Amino acid sequence: MLRPADIHPGAGERRISMEPVNLTEKGKKLAHPAEFAPRIFADTADMDEIKPLKEGGIINGVTTNPTLLKRAGADSWDSADKIMKEIVKYMAPFPVSLELTELEPEKMVVQANKLAAFGDNVVVKVPTGGYRLMDRDPFTGLKMIRRLWEMNIKVNATLIFNTTQAFWAANAGAAYVSPFLGRLADYMYKHDHVERVPGNSLYFMEDHKAPDGGPERTANSAYVSTDGPRKNAGVRLINEIVAVFNNYRIKTEVLAASFRNSVQLMECLLAGADILTVPAPLLMGVADHPLTDEGMKAFFEDSKVFDR
Ligand code: G3P
């Protein structure tokens, strides 16, 4: 568990250097108390999930990926495009992330232009790495992030699992970085055997060779945040990225992604994440608590006496 004492002091300072989220119109007497609140996105491509959350004022953005589109019923590019366009239109002017699937730079640019043309609120999601495994230039993602920045297209650098990936994506020009804290936590939960692995290395020698078959990627010891219990590596990663961005006044927003439970939501808020993208079922429960249910029922029952 991340505790308030773990949080670096600069987190709040960094947030107030960003654009306010809850704007108070000029001349309004009561200023909004949470001007610099984090933004909350729904991590889904399902319009039935998006609508009640937008109407409830719970979300101000959406993130999608090919898996979420497939889950929402897309089974061809035509249907995927149709779903993406509908979300972009419905959510405008709030940002909607749509992911690149091409691997060749020129095709990636064509696809990015196509997605960006769906609406001014489109953010193009670019996988930061993973290209070496696909026999491509390892810097394909970072080069694309820089190229799209030069083209004035906002990028969400995705599939981030360590702080250095986040830094290099920001350095290339990404508007958002998306650390997948839930997947990292799942991985740690499944594979972390303290007795087998010295230090904080996420990768076991026997499990993960370099994609080109080379020696173990010892640099992967940086794949997780340092210090403390390793099971909350996901949330500590967010904390660490926020601290690094704070050090260098990097304005790239830290978009915490891949949530599994509401404790992780709370910890990311403590850590100073700029944006939380959350699966709809988790968001539907944010106003509830068993003791709230109990208290609400009692107050309602007791108020009936006034009707007499
Ligand atoms: O936004 C990233 C997210 O969709 C990945 O989540 O649940 O597949 O780890 P998950």
Side-chain angles (χ1 to χ4, degrees):
M1 175 77 69
L2 205 67
R3 293 150 307 165
D6 295 327
I7 307 304
H8 57 91
E13 248 172 68
R14 177 171 177 278
R15 192 67 203 140
I16 57 170
S17 73
M18 313 292 247
E19 217 179 297
V21 168
N22 292 307
L23 280 172
T24 304
E25 297 137 37
K26 246 193 168 159
K28 184 165 181 343
K29 206 168 154 198
L30 196 58
H32 198 289
E35 273 190 307
F36 296 96
R39 289 192 278 163
I40 309 294
F41 294 175
D43 195 28
T44 175
D46 184 338
M47 278 299 283
D48 291 339
E49 290 188 337
I50 293 169
K51 278 184 178 160
L53 293 167
K54 163 111 182 305
E55 279 163 19
I58 301 298
I59 57 165
N60 43 23
V62 165
T63 50
T64 69
N65 62 36
T67 307
L68 293 172
L69 282 163
K70 189 174 156 198
R71 207 177 287 158
D75 56 4
S76 66
W77 275 114
D78 277 351
S79 57
D81 286 353
K82 195 169 162 240
I83 295 173
M84 289 191 276
K85 282 181 188 163
E86 194 184 354
I87 299 171
V88 169
K89 193 168 170 211
Y90 179 74
M91 287 304 298
F94 297 124
V96 176
S97 289
L98 307 176
E99 188 155 339
L100 289 190
T101 55
E102 295 288 355
L103 298 173
E104 300 304 330
E106 293 319 311
K107 287 187 179 167
M108 290 167 90
V109 170
V110 170
Q111 194 181 25
N113 274 321
K114 180 190 102 171
L115 297 175
F118 289 172
D120 291 342
N121 52 331
V122 168
V123 176
V124 174
K125 235 173 166 182
V126 180
T128 308
Y131 299 91
R132 206 150 51 127
L133 187 67
M134 311 255 194
D135 294 324
R136 301 300 199 286
D137 172 2
F139 302 132
T140 303
L142 294 178
K143 285 179 178 171
M144 191 51 49
I145 293 168
R146 188 169 291 273
R147 201 158 155 191
L148 296 181
W149 171 73
E150 281 162 2
M151 292 164 61
N152 294 315
I153 292 179
K154 261 193 177 177
V155 168
N156 174 353
T158 191
L159 284 167
I160 298 263
F161 289 92
N162 76 16
T163 305
T164 46
Q165 285 177 306
F167 165 70
W168 263 283
N171 211 34
Y176 308 144
V177 289
S178 289
F180 280 21
L181 71 109
R183 284 196 197 181
L184 187 56
D186 293 349
Y187 189 97
M188 296 304 283
Y189 190 75
K190 200 166 151 207
H191 294 285
D192 196 16
H193 300 284
V194 186
E195 71 287 0
R196 287 172 61 197
V197 190
N200 261 338
S201 177
L202 171 59
Y203 280 67
F204 295 129
M205 269 203 274
E206 63 269 36
D207 290 348
H208 291 277
K209 296 283 182 198
D212 56 10
E216 190 211 3
R217 301 162 75 188
T218 46
N220 285 334
S221 57
Y223 264 59
V224 291
S225 308
T226 50
D227 189 25
R230 288 184 265 181
K231 298 287 187 291
N232 63 9
V235 178
R236 299 189 76 84
L237 172 63
I238 305 295
N239 194 26
E240 197 172 284
I241 296 172
V242 171
V244 169
F245 284 9
N246 187 58
N247 283 350
Y248 300 100
R249 300 195 174 186
I250 292 171
K251 296 281 181 69
T252 299
E253 293 191 65
V254 181
L255 196 167
S258 171
F259 283 92
R260 300 287 180 259
N261 54 53
S262 52
V263 174
Q264 288 170 338
L265 291 182
M266 178 277 284
E267 289 181 296
C268 280
L269 292 173
L270 272 179
D274 299 297
I275 308 170
L276 277 52
T277 190
V278 188
L282 254 184
L283 286 176
M284 292 304 287
V286 289
D288 294 330
H289 187 280
L291 292 176
T292 308
D293 294 347
E294 210 178 276
M296 170 71 176
K297 199 166 166 238
F299 289 153
F300 182 72
E301 289 302 324
D302 288 344
S303 75
K304 280 187 185 160
V305 76
F306 312 137
D307 294 335
R308 283 191 205 138

